[in-house]
């Protein structure tokens, strides 16, 4: 980051999550707020904390991400995902807000990845709450930046598919994984670096998509993790209807990254190549768990 930008007072929410943990390597000078520090479901805490800090920039990595629980905990989900982003943005000159591929999913059949200009269609409460948050944020604060991402993982931090598979491969001889949902794995480490680029370009606003390149099913993702870890467990493909969950998941939620590549001048790695890089760095960073 350039020195002018580095002198900004930056707040990052969701400090215990995998993306914020990776951001600590990119913007270590930022103030990182966990749920314990500032519960995004409580407007009084948001007002008190941010009213004291008065940041120049907020990077909102905090979210209600328990997709199934959201179906019966709509009030808390909406407070965190739909209401809090707008309230927080009022305390800063700029807001970078993380959103999700789950704002899509209503299309039964897709022939191409979703562009930023495509009409959203969430199929669960979580997706609807994230769409409401980004819509309200951009309506009230047009200079805000919304970044939709998908299938986020870190090899070191948080709770995610990679770490779950790593554990299951160590515990079981067979692991059953859904093979009829299509998306793209996204490295939290790579996304954190992209966020650093956006911080260096404060005039950027609107909606952008970012994920790894290519597409995969969860089975494909699990198989690649197995191969890279050298695990011996068998990965068995299954259909979504073999795992009954309260919330529906999109059968297709691949994001088009043309806009971010052209406007930010970056080249995005294929998800397999990025995963290989992340696994190679895993041993070097395992001490941070």
């Amino acid at each position: 980051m350039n020195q002018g930008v580095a002198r900004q007072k930056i707040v990052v929410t969701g400090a215990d999550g995998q993306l914020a943990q990776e951001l600590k390597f990119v913007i270590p000078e930022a103030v990182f707020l966990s749920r314990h520090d500032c519960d995004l479901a409580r407007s009084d805490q948001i007002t008190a904390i941010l009213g004291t800090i008065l940041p120049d920039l907020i990077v909102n990595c905090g979210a209600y991400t328990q997709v199934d629980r959201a179906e019966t905990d709509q009030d808390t989900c909406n407070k965190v995902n739909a209401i809090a982003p707008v309230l927080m943005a009022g305390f800063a000159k700029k807001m970078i807000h993380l959103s999700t591929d789950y704002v899509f999913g209503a299309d039964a059949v897709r022939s191409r990845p979703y562009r930023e200009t495509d009409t959203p269609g969430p199929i669960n409460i979580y997706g609807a709450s994230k769409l409401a948050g980004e819509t309200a944020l951009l309506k009230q604060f047009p200079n805000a930046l919304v970044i939709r991402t998908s299938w986020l993982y870190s090899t070191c931090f948080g709770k995610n598919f990679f770490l779950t598979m790593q554990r299951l491969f160590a515990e079981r001889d067979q692991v059953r994984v859904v093979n009829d949902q299509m998306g793209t794995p996204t490295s939290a480490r790579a996304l954190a670096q992209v966020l650093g680029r956006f911080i260096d370009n404060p005039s950027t606003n609107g909606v952008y998509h970012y994920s790894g390149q290519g597409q995969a099913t969860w089975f494909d993702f699990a198989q690649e993790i197995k191969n890279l870890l050298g695990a011996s467990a068998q990965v068995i493909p299954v259909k979504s209807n073999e795992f009954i969950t309260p919330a529906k998941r999109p059968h297709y939620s691949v994001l088009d990254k043309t806009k971010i590549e052209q406007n930010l001048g970056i080249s995005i790695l294929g998800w397999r190549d990025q995963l290989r890089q992340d696994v190679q760095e895993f041993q070097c960073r395992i001490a941070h768990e």
Side-chain angles (χ1 to χ4, degrees):
M1 291 174 57
N2 65 59
Q3 291 302 307
V5 175
R7 285 195 294 268
Q8 290 189 101
K9 188 181 293 184
I10 303 173
V11 163
V12 178
T13 62
D16 293 333
Q18 57 187 327
L19 181 55
Q21 292 282 354
E22 296 285 359
L23 269 174
K24 290 178 180 179
F25 294 91
V26 178
I27 46 172
E29 74 279 6
V31 176
F32 287 82
L33 299 177
S34 67
R35 182 181 177 185
H36 176 76
D37 300 317
C38 183
D39 186 344
L40 300 187
R42 293 187 53 180
S43 59
D44 60 328
Q45 288 194 14
I46 294 172
T47 300
I49 298 298
L50 296 183
T52 300
I53 299 174
L54 293 177
D56 297 300
L57 170 68
I58 297 173
V59 182
N60 182 32
C61 300
Y64 187 112
T65 58
Q66 298 178 73
V67 177
D68 288 322
R69 185 179 294 182
E71 296 294 309
T72 54
D73 190 17
Q74 297 182 28
D75 182 61
T76 305
C77 181
N78 282 318
K79 284 178 179 177
V80 175
N81 292 347
I83 297 172
V86 179
L87 179 59
M88 288 190 288
F91 290 93
K93 298 174 183 176
K94 178 80 173 183
M95 167 82 112
I96 298 177
H97 175 65
L98 276 297
S99 193
T100 174
D101 60 322
Y102 275 29
V103 301
F104 299 111
D107 294 342
V109 178
R110 290 288 298 180
S111 59
R112 61 165 177 79
Y114 285 102
R115 301 180 184 124
E116 290 85 350
T117 52
D118 287 329
T119 302
I123 57 174
N124 54 45
I125 296 300
Y126 165 71
S129 71
K130 292 296 288 183
L131 177 60
E134 65 177 57
T135 300
L137 176 64
L138 289 172
K139 181 179 180 180
Q140 191 162 337
F141 299 96
N143 73 323
L145 174 64
V146 172
I147 303 174
R148 295 173 181 152
T149 191
S150 66
W151 295 23
L152 199 64
Y153 73 87
S154 167
T155 55
C156 294
F157 306 114
K159 298 178 180 179
N160 61 69
F161 187 80
F162 176 90
L163 294 178
T164 297
M165 288 300 106
Q166 182 186 48
R167 174 178 57 81
L168 292 178
F169 290 152
E171 296 174 351
R172 302 180 184 179
D173 295 325
Q174 294 183 338
V175 180
R176 295 156 59 85
V177 183
V178 168
N179 195 35
D180 59 359
Q181 295 174 14
M182 188 72 69
T184 311
T186 304
S187 164
R189 182 171 67 91
L191 177 53
Q193 292 166 353
V194 168
L195 288 174
R197 294 284 297 274
F198 274 121
I199 292 170
D200 284 343
N201 292 272
S203 62
T204 309
N205 60 6
V207 179
Y208 282 78
H209 289 171
Y210 179 82
S211 69
Q213 286 289 18
Q215 60 185 37
T217 65
W218 291 108
F219 169 79
D220 296 330
F221 192 12
Q223 190 70 38
E224 194 69 18
I225 294 169
K226 170 193 168 179
N227 294 340
L228 290 171
L229 294 179
S232 59
Q234 181 183 7
V235 184
I236 300 174
V238 299
K239 294 185 179 297
S240 298
N241 58 17
E242 295 188 39
F243 288 97
I244 304 301
T245 58
K248 295 180 181 179
R249 266 70 170 176
H251 282 288
Y252 184 95
S253 61
V254 180
L255 301 175
D256 185 288
K257 277 77 67 174
T258 303
K259 179 180 176 181
I260 197 169
E261 287 190 307
Q262 292 179 345
N263 290 15
L264 207 58
I266 62 173
S267 179
I268 302 173
L269 285 179
W271 69 267
R272 284 185 170 88
D273 291 334
Q274 182 65 63
L275 178 61
R276 187 177 301 109
Q277 282 192 10
D278 290 341
V279 170
Q280 288 171 350
E281 290 200 2
F282 174 72
Q283 292 299 329
C284 297
R285 299 175 64 179
I286 191 68
H288 292 282
E289 281 191 310

